[in-house]
Amino acid sequence: MDKLRFVGISSSPRHGNTEIMVKEALNAAKQEAMERGYEAETVFISFKGKKIQPCLNCDACIRQRRYCILKDDWLDLVKNIIDPIPNGLILGSPVYFFNVNSAMRAFMERCTSLVKGVWDPEFPHPVPDWSRTAAGAVTVGYDRNGGQEHALTSMLQFLLLNGFVTVSEPHVGGYIGASGWQMGNDGAKTDAILEDEIGLSSCIALGKRIARTGILLSGRKL
Ligand SMILES: Cc1cc2nc3c(=O)[nH]c(=O)nc-3n(C[C@H](O)[C@H](O)[C@H](O)COP(=O)(O)O)c2cc1C
């Protein structure tokens, strides 16, 4: 059997708090899989230094029957979740103005070209089948109630819309995903999340849940 594969994405423009949370969840997923006797690998993707433009609604993907024509880093990044399809996905964004940041939003918008095969039988790429991929979201804000739930909801809606099996882990208070807080630290601090024990615990719980669900969806036993 192939190794289980868990992919984590941080849309922060820095190697900071979001990245720490995504990696925490990824490591927990791998650990959980290994404790259950399965080999697993993790892939971490950071948007730092990457260019991802928003969708221009130019419809070139429809007219030319191809993935998005915009020339930037989106296609290379998204390949990590379409070829091969992962067993688990963790989307992570910092909270910007009570929601995900624009890089995450742009990344999600551009995925529209992946699914044109739904309407066009001649489209050369199959619609990615994420129905066996367990997925969840993590976020971190400067404020204790700074919009984390809105950011998580935006990512969960994207995951649901695209057929992922979305999961969360409510027992540490995340309810709809892992939620982090900078705990009054200077907003410039890129590792303040390390002091947020509950936020980190929610990442670990989410990662484990993603692993358990991904294992079941792959046809393996728990
Ligand atoms: C443009 C901008 C807008 C922000 N808006 C919010 C906000 O609405 N609520 C909040 O709690 N934090 C907000 N923050 C703070 C970040 O979410 C916080 O510093 C986070 O830890 C950054 O994540 P990173 O370290 O992964 O980059 C904002 C930061 C920036 C740069």
Side-chain angles (χ1 to χ4, degrees), residues 68-144:
C68 186
I69 63 163
L70 296 181
K71 289 189 177 26
D72 59 15
D73 295 307
W74 171 79
L75 188 57
D76 275 348
L77 294 171
V78 85
K79 276 181 183 162
N80 288 287
I81 60 168
I82 54 178
D83 187 22
I85 299 275
N87 301 94
L89 173 65
I90 296 138
L91 285 185
S93 171
V95 182
Y96 280 11
F97 286 89
F98 254 64
N99 217 312
V100 294
N101 67 350
S102 57
M104 175 56 76
R105 186 71 213 170
F107 178 81
M108 297 192 298
E109 286 177 9
R110 295 281 293 289
C111 287
T112 189
S113 72
L114 300 180
V115 299
K116 295 305 172 191
V118 170
W119 303 277
D120 179 359
E122 308 284 313
F123 196 74
H125 307 288
V127 178
D129 179 3
W130 286 307
S131 64
R132 289 171 192 275
T133 303
V138 313
T139 193
V140 52
Y142 175 76
D143 290 310
R144 190 164 185 270

Side-chain angles (χ1 to χ4, degrees), residues 167-189:
V167 299
S168 185
E169 169 48 79
H171 302 300
V172 282
Y175 300 108
I176 57 166
S179 179
W181 171 38
Q182 281 199 233
M183 304 187 82
N185 279 287
D186 174 1
K189 206 164 182 233

